Amino acid sequence: MSAAQAPAWLRAVDGGAEITLYVQPGARKTEVAGEHDGALKLRINAPPVEGKANAAVIAFIAERCGVAKHRVALLSGELSRHKRLRVVGVTADLVLLQLLQ
């Protein structure tokens, strides 16, 4: 995938990929819900309290990308709906394929 083909919310980095997310906590079910303002929108079935939504986001991304949870790091947005994550050990192509399936 070239940079021109990559969506705005996905960026290839050394050793992995970075994902920009817009998270909607407290949803009925956890799912990808398209794009929102240049970010991939996730609906998360966890409340936005005591880090539960962040843990659910990391678990969901790790499961979809086929990596262990310790390979997904929250880079920014701990207390915000706008988050940036790094997934180590996968390509941006794989992340794109797995998240949009």
Side-chain angles (χ1 to χ4, degrees):
M1 166 180 51
S2 72
Q5 295 171 323
W9 50 266
L10 180 63
R11 192 167 71 100
V13 295
D14 284 343
E18 284 187 10
I19 309 167
T20 302
L21 299 173
Y22 177 80
V23 177
Q24 177 186 341
R28 188 172 308 195
K29 72 181 211 178
T30 298
E31 63 185 352
V32 174
E35 293 187 21
H36 176 82
D37 196 25
L40 183 66
K41 182 176 181 180
L42 288 184
R43 292 186 180 120
I44 297 295
N45 183 10
V49 294
E50 298 175 2
K52 290 181 182 179
N54 287 338
V57 167
I58 289 170
F60 178 78
I61 296 295
E63 180 183 330
R64 289 292 286 267
C65 293
V67 298
K69 288 187 276 189
H70 73 271
R71 292 188 164 269
V72 180
L74 182 63
L75 300 177
S76 65
E78 184 176 346
L79 299 176
S80 170
R81 288 179 178 232
H82 297 277
K83 302 184 183 300
R84 212 166 40 97
L85 278 74
R86 174 171 284 168
V87 184
V88 177
V90 295
T91 64
D93 289 331
L94 179 66
V95 170
L96 182 63
L97 179 69
Q98 295 299 95
L99 291 179
L100 296 183
Q101 68 175 352

